[in-house]
């Protein structure tokens, strides 16, 4: 059995962790021993249990904790946070959390007439 954790609202979000218990229940050999933490970069996590139903044993446990979240903390280094929204700086393209340098003179993506 596996528990997979995604950083967002669904399975299409980036996977930030996966845990399995296997048959061996020794806490030292578990993929995610007790105390393992996963933190979302936003306000949602998706947790998915995948099982083959082959063995019936103790399951997984989790403690959920909501913490103060600063949406600007997720901004890329080449982005500016305005009204809690990350926007890539001039000369960069992306969603604000991931920004890449763009060629301003490129006819398809550029913003300047070079």
């Amino acid at each position: 059995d596996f528990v997979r954790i995604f950083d967002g609202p669904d399975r299409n979000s980036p996977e930030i962790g996966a845990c399995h218990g296997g048959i061996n229940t020794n806490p030292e050999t578990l993929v995610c021993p007790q105390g393992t933490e996963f933190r979302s970069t936003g306000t949602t996590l998706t947790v998915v249990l995948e099982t083959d139903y082959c063995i019936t044993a103790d399951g997984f446990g989790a403690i959920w904790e909501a913490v103060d979240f600063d949406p600007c903390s997720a901004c890329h280094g080449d982005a500016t946070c305005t009204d809690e929204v990350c926007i890539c700086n001039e000369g960069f393209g992306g969603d604000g959390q991931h920004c890449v340098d763009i060629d301003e003179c490129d006819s398809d993506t550029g913003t300047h007439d070079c």
Side-chain angles (χ1 to χ4, degrees):
D1 294 350
F2 283 87
V3 173
R4 298 187 187 281
I5 298 97
F6 299 88
D7 188 12
D10 55 43
R11 287 177 170 227
N12 293 321
S13 303
E15 184 176 312
I16 58 174
C19 301
H20 75 82
I23 296 173
N24 184 350
T25 58
N26 179 345
E28 299 300 317
T29 60
L30 296 177
V31 172
C32 295
Q34 187 173 353
T36 300
E37 291 186 7
F38 298 101
R39 293 181 182 252
S40 173
T41 59
T43 59
T44 59
L45 282 174
T46 299
V47 180
V48 177
L49 171 64
E50 298 176 2
T51 182
D52 60 9
Y53 301 101
C54 183
I55 297 173
T56 302
D58 290 343
F60 294 89
I63 297 172
W64 301 93
E65 179 182 4
V67 295
D68 288 336
F69 175 72
D70 176 10
C72 294
S73 67
C75 293
H76 186 269
D78 293 310
T80 303
C81 189
T82 304
D83 296 325
E84 299 185 346
V85 176
C86 301
I87 300 171
C88 294
N89 296 333
E90 186 174 341
F92 294 86
D95 63 5
Q97 293 182 351
H98 305 92
C99 299
V100 293
D101 191 8
I102 59 171
D103 180 357
E104 291 89 346
C105 294
D106 184 296
S107 61
D108 293 327
T109 61
T111 56
H112 297 285
D113 186 18
C114 299

XYZ file of all heavy atoms in Angstrom:
838
model
N 0.835 -1.184 0.000
C 0.000 0.000 0.000
C 0.878 1.245 0.000
O 1.935 1.274 0.603
C -0.893 0.021 1.232
C -1.911 -1.102 1.219
O -2.044 -1.774 0.188
O -2.572 -1.305 2.246
N 0.398 2.267 -0.662
C 1.102 3.535 -0.743
C 0.157 4.674 -0.384
O -1.029 4.614 -0.686
C 1.616 3.803 -2.168
C 2.832 3.034 -2.535
C 2.733 1.764 -3.058
C 4.087 3.592 -2.354
C 3.859 1.051 -3.405
C 5.222 2.882 -2.695
C 5.110 1.607 -3.225
N 0.689 5.689 0.224
C 0.004 6.965 0.370
C 0.845 7.964 -0.396
O 2.048 8.081 -0.177
C -0.126 7.388 1.855
C -0.683 8.795 1.950
C -1.007 6.414 2.609
N 0.230 8.648 -1.340
C 0.931 9.656 -2.133
C 0.356 11.026 -1.795
O -0.849 11.183 -1.661
C 0.785 9.364 -3.620
C 1.395 8.031 -4.008
C 1.389 7.827 -5.521
N 1.813 6.495 -5.877
C 3.063 6.082 -5.909
N 4.034 6.910 -5.597
N 3.361 4.848 -6.253
N 1.250 12.004 -1.675
C 0.849 13.354 -1.297
C 1.192 14.292 -2.442
O 2.333 14.327 -2.914
C 1.548 13.806 0.001
C 1.153 12.880 1.159
C 1.159 15.224 0.355
C 2.140 11.811 1.425
N 0.183 15.041 -2.889
C 0.345 15.980 -3.991
C 0.154 17.402 -3.486
O -0.730 17.672 -2.672
C -0.662 15.681 -5.104
C -0.501 14.316 -5.703
C -1.160 13.222 -5.159
C 0.320 14.126 -6.796
C -1.007 11.950 -5.701
C 0.479 12.857 -7.352
C -0.174 11.766 -6.799
N 0.969 18.320 -3.984
C 0.959 19.714 -3.551
C -0.035 20.514 -4.381
O 0.336 21.300 -5.245
C 2.362 20.302 -3.682
C 2.481 21.684 -3.072
O 1.565 22.101 -2.358
O 3.506 22.337 -3.310
N -1.316 20.293 -4.136
C -2.352 20.989 -4.877
C -3.669 20.250 -4.816
O -3.830 19.294 -4.057
N -4.621 20.647 -5.661
C -5.988 20.150 -5.552
C -6.266 18.777 -6.163
O -7.354 18.250 -5.996
C -6.806 21.222 -6.271
C -5.861 21.751 -7.304
C -4.498 21.733 -6.640
N -5.296 18.178 -6.874
C -5.573 16.890 -7.502
C -4.270 16.154 -7.828
O -3.178 16.646 -7.547
C -6.422 17.061 -8.764
C -5.800 18.029 -9.761
O -4.571 17.966 -9.979
O -6.551 18.843 -10.334
N -4.403 14.978 -8.457
C -3.240 14.149 -8.800
C -2.349 14.769 -9.877
O -1.241 14.298 -10.101
C -3.699 12.777 -9.309
C -4.231 11.886 -8.247
C -4.718 10.592 -8.890
N -5.031 9.623 -7.879
C -4.629 8.360 -7.917
N -3.935 7.927 -8.934
N -4.959 7.541 -6.955
N -2.820 15.781 -10.558
C -2.002 16.459 -11.564
C -1.037 17.453 -10.931
O -0.165 17.986 -11.603
C -2.887 17.177 -12.588
C -3.682 16.203 -13.420
O -3.185 15.159 -13.802
N -4.938 16.519 -13.666
N -1.200 17.702 -9.640
C -0.296 18.596 -8.908
C 1.030 17.882 -8.669
O 1.094 16.651 -8.713
C -0.930 18.975 -7.570
O -2.193 19.567 -7.775
N 2.104 18.618 -8.395
C 3.399 17.979 -8.142
C 3.334 17.047 -6.924
O 2.768 17.410 -5.892
C 4.337 19.153 -7.862
C 3.662 20.353 -8.446
C 2.198 20.086 -8.362
N 3.894 15.858 -7.074
C 3.950 14.919 -5.945
C 5.079 15.348 -5.018
O 6.209 15.531 -5.452
C 4.190 13.492 -6.437
C 4.165 12.491 -5.306
C 4.299 11.050 -5.778
O 3.585 10.650 -6.717
O 5.119 10.321 -5.198
N 4.767 15.522 -3.733
C 5.798 15.935 -2.788
C 6.188 14.814 -1.832
O 7.084 14.989 -1.014
C 5.387 17.192 -1.988
C 4.086 16.971 -1.225
C 5.292 18.386 -2.912
C 3.727 18.124 -0.307
N 5.548 13.659 -1.954
C 5.944 12.546 -1.098
C 5.107 11.324 -1.333
O 4.003 11.387 -1.868
N 5.679 10.194 -0.954
C 4.967 8.914 -1.009
C 5.478 8.057 0.141
O 6.669 8.043 0.426
C 5.204 8.222 -2.346
N 4.562 7.389 0.803
C 4.924 6.540 1.939
C 4.359 5.150 1.705
O 3.296 4.989 1.108
C 4.329 7.078 3.225
S 4.830 8.748 3.635
N 5.073 4.148 2.174
C 4.511 2.802 2.160
C 4.926 2.099 3.429
O 5.954 2.382 4.021
C 4.937 2.018 0.919
C 6.348 1.531 0.941
N 6.724 0.382 1.591
C 7.466 2.046 0.410
C 8.035 0.203 1.436
N 8.505 1.216 0.731
N 4.074 1.206 3.872
C 4.355 0.470 5.091
C 4.924 -0.893 4.814
O 5.747 -1.399 5.562
N 4.530 -1.513 3.718
C 5.001 -2.856 3.416
C 4.613 -3.839 4.513
O 3.808 -3.555 5.384
N 5.202 -4.994 4.470
C 4.932 -6.011 5.481
C 5.757 -5.742 6.729
O 5.337 -5.975 7.843
C 5.234 -7.418 4.920
C 4.271 -7.713 3.762
C 5.100 -8.469 6.003
C 4.581 -8.989 3.031
N 6.947 -5.209 6.551
C 7.834 -4.932 7.672
C 7.345 -3.675 8.386
O 7.295 -2.607 7.808
C 9.266 -4.730 7.156
C 10.252 -4.524 8.272
O 9.876 -4.354 9.414
N 11.515 -4.543 7.927
N 6.978 -3.779 9.651
C 6.456 -2.630 10.381
C 7.500 -2.001 11.292
O 7.167 -1.202 12.151
C 5.228 -3.032 11.218
O 5.611 -4.090 12.111
C 4.091 -3.478 10.319
N 8.759 -2.328 11.094
C 9.832 -1.713 11.870
C 9.908 -0.237 11.497
O 10.165 0.102 10.344
C 11.157 -2.420 11.567
C 12.325 -1.813 12.314
O 12.235 -0.709 12.846
N 13.418 -2.533 12.352
N 9.693 0.686 12.460
C 9.681 2.120 12.144
C 10.969 2.614 11.493
O 10.961 3.605 10.773
C 9.479 2.794 13.499
C 8.899 1.744 14.374
C 9.419 0.430 13.866
N 12.086 1.927 11.707
C 13.351 2.371 11.115
C 13.419 2.097 9.618
O 14.231 2.676 8.910
C 14.519 1.672 11.822
C 14.600 1.981 13.318
C 14.789 3.467 13.596
O 15.589 4.110 12.895
O 14.121 3.984 14.516
N 12.591 1.174 9.112
C 12.679 0.811 7.692
C 11.507 1.332 6.864
O 11.446 1.089 5.674
C 12.763 -0.720 7.534
O 11.589 -1.315 8.090
C 14.003 -1.269 8.211
N 10.583 2.025 7.479
C 9.468 2.576 6.720
C 9.961 3.719 5.833
O 10.881 4.442 6.196
C 8.378 3.093 7.655
C 7.681 2.041 8.519
C 6.686 2.723 9.453
C 6.982 1.014 7.667
N 9.341 3.880 4.684
C 9.725 4.966 3.794
C 9.452 6.317 4.447
O 10.230 7.244 4.330
C 8.979 4.842 2.441
C 9.224 6.070 1.586
C 9.436 3.603 1.707
N 8.369 6.444 5.163
C 8.025 7.682 5.872
C 7.829 7.345 7.347
O 6.713 7.084 7.789
C 6.751 8.301 5.309
S 6.916 8.865 3.615
N 8.897 7.329 8.116
C 8.747 7.004 9.534
C 7.943 8.067 10.267
O 7.765 9.182 9.774
C 10.184 6.944 10.053
C 11.000 7.685 9.067
C 10.273 7.613 7.752
N 7.461 7.716 11.442
C 6.683 8.651 12.245
C 7.441 9.964 12.396
O 8.645 9.978 12.617
C 6.409 8.045 13.614
C 5.475 8.878 14.445
C 5.076 8.162 15.732
O 5.387 7.004 15.934
N 4.380 8.880 16.588
N 6.731 11.059 12.235
C 7.346 12.372 12.339
C 7.686 13.001 11.003
O 8.072 14.159 10.936
N 7.548 12.253 9.904
C 7.805 12.809 8.573
C 6.792 13.913 8.296
O 5.615 13.764 8.578
C 7.704 11.715 7.499
O 8.654 10.711 7.780
C 7.950 12.280 6.116
N 7.247 15.024 7.753
C 6.365 16.150 7.446
C 6.344 16.438 5.956
O 7.356 16.312 5.275
C 6.831 17.414 8.173
C 6.661 17.382 9.656
C 6.996 18.719 10.297
O 7.241 19.709 9.576
O 7.012 18.767 11.531
N 5.183 16.832 5.473
C 5.019 17.328 4.115
C 4.333 18.676 4.239
O 3.369 18.826 4.969
C 4.160 16.383 3.272
C 4.759 15.024 3.124
C 4.309 13.972 3.892
C 5.799 14.811 2.238
C 4.874 12.715 3.772
C 6.364 13.555 2.103
C 5.899 12.511 2.876
N 4.828 19.652 3.503
C 4.252 20.998 3.560
C 3.845 21.442 2.165
O 4.625 21.354 1.230
C 5.247 21.986 4.146
C 5.534 21.717 5.604
C 6.515 22.732 6.158
N 6.802 22.418 7.535
C 6.364 23.126 8.556
N 5.636 24.192 8.336
N 6.656 22.780 9.788
N 2.656 21.945 2.079
C 2.143 22.465 0.830
C 2.702 23.861 0.582
O 2.957 24.612 1.513
C 0.613 22.520 0.893
O 0.097 23.167 -0.240
N 2.879 24.200 -0.689
C 3.283 25.565 -1.020
C 2.066 26.463 -1.166
O 2.197 27.660 -1.359
C 4.091 25.608 -2.329
O 3.276 25.077 -3.380
C 5.375 24.807 -2.206
N 0.880 25.876 -1.083
C -0.361 26.646 -1.214
C -1.320 26.285 -0.102
O -0.914 25.966 1.011
N -2.587 26.294 -0.432
C -3.612 26.049 0.580
C -4.251 24.676 0.480
O -5.176 24.375 1.227
C -4.714 27.124 0.480
O -5.282 27.079 -0.834
C -4.153 28.506 0.764
N -3.774 23.825 -0.447
C -4.386 22.503 -0.592
C -3.336 21.409 -0.749
O -2.259 21.632 -1.307
C -5.322 22.433 -1.817
O -4.571 22.747 -2.989
C -6.491 23.382 -1.689
N -3.676 20.245 -0.243
C -2.913 19.012 -0.450
C -3.901 17.950 -0.894
O -5.053 17.953 -0.475
C -2.259 18.528 0.849
C -1.006 19.201 1.341
C -0.624 18.662 2.717
C 0.136 18.985 0.377
N -3.457 17.034 -1.722
C -4.263 15.885 -2.086
C -3.542 14.648 -1.581
O -2.353 14.463 -1.853
C -4.456 15.796 -3.614
O -5.131 16.979 -4.047
C -5.261 14.576 -4.003
N -4.256 13.808 -0.831
C -3.692 12.582 -0.287
C -4.437 11.419 -0.928
O -5.664 11.346 -0.877
C -3.838 12.542 1.253
C -3.260 11.260 1.814
C -3.173 13.766 1.878
N -3.685 10.498 -1.539
C -4.274 9.379 -2.256
C -3.741 8.074 -1.668
O -2.529 7.893 -1.558
C -3.938 9.446 -3.763
C -4.494 8.244 -4.505
C -4.459 10.744 -4.369
N -4.632 7.172 -1.295
C -4.262 5.837 -0.839
C -4.377 4.881 -2.010
O -5.415 4.802 -2.662
C -5.174 5.372 0.300
C -5.011 3.910 0.708
C -3.621 3.650 1.282
C -6.088 3.502 1.696
N -3.286 4.178 -2.301
C -3.290 3.153 -3.340
C -3.042 1.823 -2.655
O -2.062 1.668 -1.934
C -2.199 3.443 -4.374
C -2.418 4.756 -5.095
C -1.292 5.109 -6.057
O -0.339 4.310 -6.194
O -1.362 6.183 -6.656
N -3.940 0.872 -2.840
C -3.819 -0.406 -2.157
C -4.173 -1.549 -3.091
O -4.938 -1.386 -4.032
C -4.719 -0.447 -0.904
O -4.541 -1.699 -0.242
C -6.177 -0.262 -1.249
N -3.600 -2.723 -2.796
C -3.965 -3.923 -3.544
C -4.904 -4.808 -2.720
O -5.315 -5.862 -3.168
C -2.726 -4.709 -3.972
C -1.889 -5.159 -2.787
O -2.336 -5.020 -1.629
O -0.782 -5.663 -3.015
N -5.232 -4.401 -1.519
C -6.129 -5.110 -0.618
C -5.661 -6.528 -0.309
O -6.425 -7.369 0.094
C -7.564 -5.157 -1.172
C -8.143 -3.794 -1.411
C -8.188 -3.250 -2.686
C -8.638 -3.049 -0.354
C -8.727 -1.982 -2.905
C -9.165 -1.780 -0.563
C -9.212 -1.261 -1.836
O -9.736 -0.014 -2.052
N -4.377 -6.792 -0.512
C -3.836 -8.131 -0.347
C -3.644 -8.496 1.128
O -3.860 -9.629 1.517
C -2.511 -8.229 -1.098
S -1.756 -9.843 -1.060
N -3.226 -7.542 1.934
C -2.944 -7.790 3.349
C -3.781 -6.828 4.182
O -3.857 -5.642 3.886
C -1.446 -7.578 3.661
C -0.621 -8.585 2.877
C -1.187 -7.687 5.158
C 0.871 -8.352 2.984
N -4.408 -7.352 5.222
C -5.164 -6.504 6.122
C -4.334 -6.297 7.379
O -3.999 -7.249 8.071
C -6.516 -7.158 6.477
O -7.232 -7.400 5.271
C -7.325 -6.252 7.382
N -3.977 -5.063 7.639
C -3.158 -4.728 8.800
C -3.457 -3.294 9.202
O -4.300 -2.630 8.604
C -1.673 -4.900 8.466
N -2.748 -2.810 10.227
C -2.906 -1.420 10.633
C -2.645 -0.506 9.441
O -1.809 -0.808 8.583
C -1.935 -1.069 11.764
C -2.311 -1.753 13.066
O -3.462 -2.209 13.180
O -1.458 -1.814 13.954
N -3.321 0.602 9.409
C -3.195 1.520 8.282
C -2.260 2.668 8.557
O -1.368 2.582 9.396
N -2.491 3.756 7.845
C -1.676 4.950 7.954
C -2.359 5.933 8.898
O -3.573 5.923 9.057
C -1.491 5.605 6.586
C -0.709 4.770 5.626
C -1.321 3.855 4.799
C 0.665 4.910 5.556
C -0.592 3.090 3.914
C 1.402 4.146 4.675
C 0.772 3.233 3.856
N -1.589 6.806 9.477
C -2.124 7.865 10.311
C -1.543 9.186 9.866
O -0.454 9.246 9.302
N -2.274 10.242 10.110
C -1.793 11.575 9.733
C -2.323 12.597 10.727
O -3.397 12.429 11.293
C -2.250 11.944 8.326
N -1.550 13.622 10.932
C -1.971 14.766 11.732
C -1.960 15.967 10.797
O -0.943 16.272 10.174
C -1.017 15.001 12.918
C -1.051 13.800 13.864
C -1.392 16.285 13.651
C -0.006 13.860 14.960
N -3.097 16.618 10.671
C -3.220 17.791 9.810
C -3.095 19.032 10.666
O -3.685 19.126 11.728
C -4.584 17.805 9.107
C -4.817 16.611 8.266
C -5.448 15.469 8.645
C -4.405 16.413 6.930
N -5.464 14.578 7.608
C -4.823 15.127 6.534
C -3.714 17.191 6.003
C -4.594 14.616 5.278
C -3.487 16.667 4.740
C -3.921 15.405 4.390
N -2.352 19.977 10.186
C -2.186 21.225 10.913
C -2.235 22.381 9.927
O -1.508 22.398 8.938
C -0.840 21.230 11.646
C -0.572 22.491 12.403
C 0.793 22.467 13.075
O 1.561 21.503 12.899
O 1.098 23.444 13.766
N -3.109 23.316 10.198
C -3.167 24.527 9.377
C -2.222 25.555 9.990
O -2.218 25.752 11.197
C -4.586 25.073 9.338
N -1.424 26.147 9.168
C -0.484 27.164 9.632
C -0.719 28.433 8.835
O -1.277 28.405 7.738
C 0.988 26.693 9.477
C 1.257 25.505 10.381
C 1.312 26.343 8.045
N -0.315 29.546 9.411
C -0.417 30.801 8.668
C 0.373 30.670 7.380
O 1.500 30.176 7.371
C 0.120 31.965 9.497
C -0.802 32.323 10.645
O -2.006 32.021 10.552
O -0.316 32.893 11.629
N -0.211 31.112 6.298
C 0.419 30.974 4.997
C 0.577 32.348 4.361
O -0.381 33.108 4.259
C -0.426 30.070 4.092
C 0.097 29.974 2.697
C 1.257 29.272 2.426
C -0.551 30.600 1.650
C 1.756 29.180 1.133
C -0.063 30.517 0.358
C 1.093 29.813 0.106
N 1.783 32.635 3.963
C 2.071 33.869 3.241
C 2.171 33.519 1.766
O 3.145 32.900 1.329
C 3.384 34.476 3.728
C 3.789 35.706 2.940
O 2.986 36.210 2.139
O 4.935 36.162 3.125
N 1.149 33.837 0.963
C 1.181 33.459 -0.448
C 2.383 34.036 -1.192
O 2.825 33.473 -2.181
C -0.126 33.997 -1.016
C -0.735 34.838 0.019
C -0.046 34.579 1.313
N 2.948 35.117 -0.700
C 4.104 35.707 -1.360
C 5.361 34.863 -1.155
O 6.320 34.981 -1.922
C 4.333 37.126 -0.850
S 2.993 38.261 -1.305
N 5.359 33.999 -0.156
C 6.538 33.158 0.085
C 6.746 32.135 -1.021
O 7.834 31.585 -1.164
C 6.427 32.456 1.437
O 5.373 31.507 1.418
N 5.712 31.873 -1.814
C 5.823 30.900 -2.901
C 6.332 31.532 -4.199
O 6.547 30.834 -5.181
C 4.465 30.240 -3.154
N 6.533 32.855 -4.210
C 6.965 33.538 -5.433
C 8.407 33.168 -5.786
O 9.265 33.035 -4.913
C 6.869 35.048 -5.271
S 5.193 35.679 -5.119
N 8.656 33.040 -7.065
C 9.991 32.786 -7.591
C 10.867 34.015 -7.314
O 10.361 35.130 -7.135
C 9.894 32.530 -9.100
C 11.173 32.122 -9.734
N 12.051 33.031 -10.268
C 11.727 30.893 -9.906
C 13.091 32.383 -10.764
N 12.920 31.089 -10.548
N 12.161 33.825 -7.297
C 13.090 34.927 -7.062
C 13.019 36.026 -8.110
O 13.389 37.169 -7.854
N 12.531 35.679 -9.310
C 12.382 36.662 -10.380
C 10.919 37.051 -10.570
O 10.453 37.274 -11.680
C 12.959 36.104 -11.686
C 14.464 35.938 -11.614
O 15.140 36.892 -11.211
O 14.958 34.839 -11.936
N 10.179 37.091 -9.437
C 8.771 37.478 -9.479
C 8.505 38.500 -8.381
O 9.256 38.617 -7.416
C 7.874 36.259 -9.287
N 7.420 39.236 -8.558
C 6.983 40.224 -7.585
C 5.595 39.827 -7.098
O 4.768 39.366 -7.882
C 6.921 41.623 -8.234
O 8.209 41.943 -8.770
C 6.514 42.681 -7.228
N 5.361 39.997 -5.800
C 4.062 39.676 -5.224
C 3.248 40.955 -5.106
O 3.658 41.923 -4.459
C 4.244 39.023 -3.856
S 2.707 38.366 -3.183
N 2.082 40.961 -5.749
C 1.172 42.100 -5.697
C -0.208 41.582 -5.328
O -0.736 40.693 -6.008
C 1.108 42.822 -7.059
O 2.436 43.197 -7.449
C 0.229 44.051 -6.983
N -0.780 42.110 -4.258
C -2.102 41.666 -3.788
C -2.148 40.146 -3.632
O -3.097 39.487 -4.046
C -3.214 42.145 -4.736
C -3.322 43.656 -4.771
O -3.097 44.290 -3.720
O -3.626 44.210 -5.854
N -1.083 39.589 -3.054
C -0.954 38.153 -2.763
C -0.928 37.283 -4.019
O -1.254 36.107 -3.979
C -2.044 37.690 -1.803
C -2.000 38.393 -0.462
C -3.003 37.870 0.535
O -3.920 37.138 0.151
O -2.845 38.191 1.720
N -0.534 37.863 -5.157
C -0.407 37.122 -6.414
C 1.016 37.289 -6.927
O 1.524 38.407 -7.010
C -1.419 37.633 -7.475
C -1.206 36.927 -8.802
C -2.842 37.453 -6.980
N 1.662 36.165 -7.288
C 3.022 36.199 -7.822
C 2.971 36.465 -9.323
O 2.246 35.782 -10.049
C 3.718 34.854 -7.574
S 3.819 34.380 -5.839
N 3.748 37.444 -9.767
C 3.807 37.788 -11.192
C 5.279 37.872 -11.582
O 6.065 38.566 -10.920
C 3.105 39.131 -11.471
C 1.634 39.051 -11.057
C 3.247 39.519 -12.938
C 0.915 40.384 -11.084
N 5.648 37.143 -12.640
C 7.041 37.165 -13.097
C 7.429 38.588 -13.509
O 6.628 39.318 -14.108
C 7.240 36.211 -14.273
S 7.018 34.480 -13.823
N 8.641 38.962 -13.166
C 9.152 40.287 -13.508
C 9.323 40.428 -15.015
O 9.356 39.432 -15.755
C 10.492 40.524 -12.808
C 10.351 40.553 -11.303
O 9.302 40.888 -10.772
N 11.409 40.190 -10.603
N 9.462 41.678 -15.475
C 9.667 41.938 -16.894
C 10.904 41.183 -17.370
O 11.925 41.135 -16.687
C 9.848 43.435 -17.142
C 9.930 43.776 -18.612
C 9.967 45.283 -18.878
O 9.577 46.063 -17.993
O 10.394 45.633 -19.987
N 10.784 40.546 -18.528
C 11.880 39.755 -19.082
C 11.811 38.287 -18.688
O 12.644 37.490 -19.109
N 10.805 37.925 -17.873
C 10.630 36.554 -17.433
C 9.199 36.116 -17.711
O 8.273 36.914 -17.679
C 10.922 36.416 -15.929
C 12.356 36.674 -15.588
C 12.809 37.958 -15.360
C 13.254 35.616 -15.512
C 14.143 38.205 -15.059
C 14.585 35.848 -15.209
C 15.034 37.144 -14.983
N 9.031 34.848 -17.998
C 7.706 34.301 -18.235
C 7.436 33.153 -17.290
O 8.360 32.493 -16.805
N 6.182 32.917 -16.994
C 5.801 31.816 -16.119
C 4.599 32.181 -15.274
O 3.928 33.187 -15.519
N 4.355 31.360 -14.258
C 3.164 31.545 -13.429
C 3.425 32.317 -12.132
O 2.544 32.452 -11.294
C 2.535 30.192 -13.103
C 3.441 29.292 -12.271
O 4.527 29.730 -11.850
O 3.056 28.128 -12.041
N 4.634 32.819 -11.961
C 4.961 33.562 -10.755
C 5.653 32.720 -9.701
O 6.453 33.213 -8.924
N 5.335 31.436 -9.666
C 6.037 30.512 -8.779
C 7.218 29.885 -9.503
O 8.180 29.450 -8.890
C 5.102 29.430 -8.261
C 4.038 29.982 -7.333
C 3.137 28.902 -6.784
O 3.177 27.754 -7.198
N 2.286 29.269 -5.835
N 7.115 29.833 -10.823
C 8.191 29.325 -11.682
C 8.364 30.347 -12.803
O 7.438 30.552 -13.586
C 7.836 27.953 -12.258
C 7.487 26.947 -11.214
N 6.206 26.738 -10.788
C 8.268 26.124 -10.494
C 6.204 25.817 -9.857
N 7.438 25.422 -9.650
N 9.519 30.995 -12.859
C 9.780 32.007 -13.879
C 11.038 31.631 -14.664
O 12.006 31.133 -14.075
C 9.983 33.386 -13.241
S 8.566 33.996 -12.322
N 10.996 31.842 -15.963
C 12.160 31.581 -16.806
C 12.460 32.835 -17.617
O 11.559 33.592 -17.988
C 11.942 30.378 -17.752
C 11.832 29.087 -16.964
C 10.723 30.572 -18.622
N 13.727 33.036 -17.874
C 14.175 34.175 -18.666
C 13.682 33.986 -20.096
O 13.836 32.918 -20.675
C 15.702 34.252 -18.619
C 16.241 35.554 -19.182
O 15.449 36.466 -19.471
O 17.474 35.650 -19.324
N 13.063 35.008 -20.647
C 12.604 34.923 -22.039
C 13.429 35.873 -22.899
O 13.997 36.842 -22.413
C 11.098 35.265 -22.177
C 10.803 36.677 -21.674
C 10.248 34.246 -21.455
C 9.401 37.151 -21.983
N 13.488 35.561 -24.166
C 14.183 36.407 -25.138
C 13.192 37.462 -25.603
O 12.271 37.172 -26.365
C 14.685 35.556 -26.298
C 15.427 36.367 -27.348
O 15.510 37.608 -27.212
O 15.928 35.753 -28.305
N 13.381 38.688 -25.144
C 12.451 39.755 -25.471
C 12.410 40.064 -26.955
O 11.475 40.691 -27.442
C 12.786 41.036 -24.691
C 12.522 40.941 -23.200
C 13.721 40.408 -22.423
O 14.659 39.862 -23.018
O 13.703 40.534 -21.189
N 13.432 39.634 -27.716
C 13.477 39.909 -29.145
C 12.900 38.764 -29.984
O 12.739 38.912 -31.194
C 14.929 40.177 -29.574
S 15.593 41.685 -28.830
N 12.590 37.646 -29.369
C 12.010 36.504 -30.081
C 10.639 36.914 -30.610
O 9.819 37.466 -29.886
C 11.876 35.305 -29.141
C 11.367 34.073 -29.853
O 10.223 34.104 -30.344
O 12.116 33.079 -29.886
N 10.370 36.633 -31.897
C 9.129 37.079 -32.501
C 7.905 36.369 -31.916
O 6.798 36.911 -31.975
C 9.175 36.871 -34.010
O 9.341 35.499 -34.311
N 8.072 35.174 -31.353
C 6.922 34.453 -30.810
C 6.627 34.817 -29.355
O 5.466 34.885 -28.945
C 7.154 32.929 -30.886
C 7.182 32.433 -32.315
O 6.446 33.020 -33.153
O 7.899 31.469 -32.599
N 7.650 35.019 -28.551
C 7.441 35.267 -27.131
C 7.886 36.644 -26.690
O 7.595 37.037 -25.563
C 8.211 34.238 -26.282
O 9.623 34.374 -26.562
C 7.755 32.826 -26.583
N 8.566 37.356 -27.545
C 9.146 38.641 -27.150
C 8.153 39.762 -27.008
O 7.058 39.732 -27.554
N 8.563 40.761 -26.246
C 7.716 41.925 -26.031
C 8.318 43.178 -26.627
O 7.729 44.243 -26.551
C 7.506 42.140 -24.518
O 8.782 42.260 -23.886
C 6.741 40.977 -23.886
N 9.517 43.048 -27.214
C 10.201 44.215 -27.781
C 10.389 44.017 -29.283
O 10.528 42.913 -29.774
C 11.576 44.422 -27.126
C 11.492 44.715 -25.669
N 11.088 45.928 -25.173
C 11.760 43.943 -24.585
C 11.091 45.895 -23.862
N 11.512 44.693 -23.471
N 10.411 45.103 -30.013
C 10.695 45.087 -31.446
C 12.191 45.365 -31.596
O 12.628 46.495 -31.479
C 9.855 46.155 -32.149
C 10.011 46.077 -33.651
O 10.465 45.036 -34.164
O 9.694 47.089 -34.312
N 12.954 44.301 -31.804
C 14.420 44.437 -31.832
C 14.950 44.542 -33.247
O 14.467 43.976 -34.154
C 15.071 43.245 -31.154
S 14.581 43.108 -29.406
